[in-house]
Amino acid sequence: MESELAGGKTEENNERMENTSAQSQLKESEALYKEHDILSGFMAYRVTKQVFLVLAWIAMGLYLELVGPSLTDLKDRAHVNYEEISHILISRSTGYFMGAVFGGYICDRFNKYIDLFLSLGKYCYTS
């Protein structure tokens, strides 16, 4: 009789251990899925951000290179010679350089708020 009771308790203990291990595995897998969801969301944000940055660089390149082919038209419309037009273009390039240096400082100084500064800068530039 005691051996039957001991055998029954052993089976109950085994079942409890199996349930406990199954529950712990379930909790571990849920934690991994949550971590995976967070990482996949973060990666989607980074990929989207990278795509928009590449598109912005392409648009900026097109904008900056538009002046080259139209330089003779600009010279004729402004009624100036090439020397005066070159001063304007040099001033524009100097402004871009100073803006890049200042922007780099801002990015290094306020890294936590860089997306906010980029959106505010774009808003100020386009309005």
Side-chain angles (χ1 to χ4, degrees), residues 37-94:
D37 288 342
I38 291 170
L39 288 176
S40 65
F42 180 70
M43 288 302 293
Y45 169 75
R46 287 187 60 159
V47 168
T48 304
K49 185 177 175 181
Q50 186 69 30
V51 166
F52 280 110
L53 285 173
V54 167
L55 291 175
W57 278 106
I58 289 171
M60 187 174 166
L62 291 173
Y63 171 73
L64 291 175
E65 293 302 319
L66 185 64
V67 175
S70 62
L71 192 58
T72 55
D73 293 332
L74 285 173
K75 179 184 78 67
D76 293 339
R77 284 184 177 234
H79 304 292
V80 294
N81 58 17
Y82 282 114
E83 184 179 342
E84 292 170 347
I85 286 288
S86 69
H87 289 295
I88 293 170
L89 295 177
I90 290 171
S91 299
R92 186 180 84 160
S93 298
T94 304

Side-chain angles (χ1 to χ4, degrees), residues 2-29:
E2 288 180 24
S3 63
E4 290 177 11
L5 289 176
K9 289 183 181 180
T10 305
E11 289 176 13
E12 288 177 15
N13 287 340
N14 288 341
E15 287 178 19
R16 286 183 192 163
M17 289 177 62
E18 288 175 8
N19 288 339
T20 305
S21 65
Q23 287 175 352
S24 65
Q25 287 177 352
L26 182 63
K27 287 180 183 179
E28 288 176 11
S29 63

